[in-house]
Amino acid sequence: MDISPYRVQPDSTVDLSSWDTRGDDDLVKDDAKDETEILSKRLDELQEVLYAEEKHKVLVVLQATDTGGKDSTIRSVFGPLNPQGVVVTPFGKPTEAELAHDYLWRVHPHTPGSGMISVFNRSHYEDVLVVRVHGLVPEDRWRRRYEHIRNFEQLLVDEGTTIVKLYLHLSKQEQAERLQDRLDNPEKLWKFRLGDLEERKKWDDYQAAFTEMMERTSTADAPWYVVPADRKWFRNRVVHQIMVDTLEGLDMAYPEAEEDVTGVVVLER
Ligand code: ADP
């Protein structure tokens, strides 16, 4: 699978209504699932080298509309990996202490160290999304944030971090299905919030905010991918491919032994 059609080119204009939420109909579900399984094993191998080599750092940023599938993507893609090498950080409503600082203050400590994959479940991008849609700070203030964010991410890249940003692209119809599912299913009811319906009324404002976020912050070094998210198996197939391609691009290798072990034998066989 070629992931380039899902990547937002730097300085391009994004029209989200023309980006697919379902994904390519040529791909059959069973084939996609088989391919995903193979990719998942490959990702596991790559993570082991990443962890062993302790050279690269990988930051995955996940953003989506409510019910977009962030949690389920994390479980499917990163769940099978060695938990010692993956840290997931959710970013919810800022605390009082966080609000008393600049908006990147709470984010920076959670960026990955060498050999690690950090997954942000929501992120600093909320500060140009929910903050914009709800007018939590004046426009001239959140507008300047696109540049801060570009610079912040460039700093991370310059210091050895590889950044992948995933926007899970859901249709408004599929969101309605998922919200209704939560209401109808006792095992999903805990996820339902009346506030989600209020947010749904602001669908167009959120789409505008996601659009501008990607137009202004998709860079060659920290690209955004628009992942079709209406069908979970298609979404998983694409995200696995993005992760495998990204890690393969790092050209990693297991480190050499630190000491000279020539002639050392533990057990004669
Ligand atoms: P999720 O919806 O991601 O599963 P929660 O139900 O805890 O998790 O929702 C997190 C909430 O925190 C969202 O409503 C989101 O808009 C909000 N939030 C995240 N970051 C910020 C921020 N910087 N300012 C205001 N609200 C934020």
Side-chain angles (χ1 to χ4, degrees), residues 31-266:
D31 292 345
K33 285 188 155 183
D34 291 347
E35 290 162 12
T36 297
E37 212 169 295
I38 294 166
L39 286 167
S40 181
K41 292 204 174 85
R42 179 72 188 127
L43 188 57
D44 188 42
E45 288 165 7
L46 287 161
Q47 186 217 3
E48 192 169 324
V49 190
L50 178 86
Y51 187 75
E53 196 180 33
E54 246 183 278
K55 180 174 163 195
H56 301 278
K57 330 172 210 291
V58 177
L59 172 61
V60 182
V61 173
L62 266 170
Q63 289 288 165
T65 187
D66 289 330
T67 74
K70 292 181 282 91
D71 294 358
S72 143
T73 302
I74 291 169
R75 205 174 57 224
S76 309
V77 180
F78 302 98
L81 304 183
N82 178 355
Q84 292 217 94
V86 182
V87 180
V88 179
T89 309
F91 290 94
K93 281 203 172 69
T95 63
E96 220 172 292
E98 287 167 351
L99 280 175
H101 292 81
D102 70 84
Y103 64 98
L104 292 174
W105 179 77
R106 68 167 175 165
V107 175
H108 207 161
H110 301 285
T111 56
S114 301
M116 298 295 292
I117 299 178
S118 286
V119 182
F120 284 1
N121 184 350
R122 300 186 189 264
S123 65
H124 43 296
Y125 283 101
E126 291 295 327
D127 292 282
V128 290
L129 292 169
V130 63
V131 167
R132 165 184 175 154
V133 171
H134 286 268
L136 301 180
V137 306
E139 176 166 356
D140 62 339
R141 203 164 132 203
W142 61 252
R143 276 213 169 272
R144 285 199 292 269
R145 294 180 173 176
Y146 296 120
E147 192 181 350
H148 305 154
I149 291 173
R150 280 197 303 272
N151 289 335
F152 170 61
E153 292 180 355
Q154 194 60 52
L155 155 81
L156 298 177
V157 168
D158 291 348
E159 295 292 322
T161 305
T162 298
I163 303 182
V164 181
K165 300 183 293 195
L166 306 171
Y167 164 65
L168 306 181
H169 189 32
L170 198 75
S171 65
K172 198 174 179 189
Q173 175 62 29
E174 180 60 24
Q175 186 188 57
E177 306 269 352
R178 292 185 184 185
L179 287 170
Q180 190 60 49
D181 267 359
R182 289 181 178 184
L183 278 171
D184 294 344
N185 186 339
E187 282 164 16
K188 292 186 181 168
L189 194 55
W190 65 276
K191 289 195 212 169
F192 185 84
R193 289 201 176 73
L194 282 172
D196 291 347
L197 300 183
E198 291 308 308
E199 294 302 272
R200 183 170 162 77
K201 290 186 190 148
K202 300 182 194 302
W203 178 271
D204 292 342
D205 294 342
Y206 272 107
Q207 294 292 296
F210 283 124
T211 299
E212 194 164 358
M213 166 190 88
M214 289 191 279
E215 287 179 343
R216 300 206 180 270
T217 65
S218 199
T219 62
D221 283 335
W224 274 107
Y225 291 90
V226 178
V227 179
D230 281 357
R231 297 183 299 174
K232 293 172 187 172
W233 56 268
F234 193 92
R235 174 202 73 200
N236 288 345
R237 172 71 183 81
V238 174
V239 175
H240 272 93
Q241 189 75 59
I242 292 170
M243 289 311 303
V244 165
D245 287 9
T246 303
L247 292 197
E248 280 182 343
L250 295 180
D251 204 14
M252 301 178 291
Y254 282 108
E256 301 283 327
E258 280 176 16
E259 298 151 305
D260 183 5
V261 291
T262 340
V264 177
V265 177
V266 179

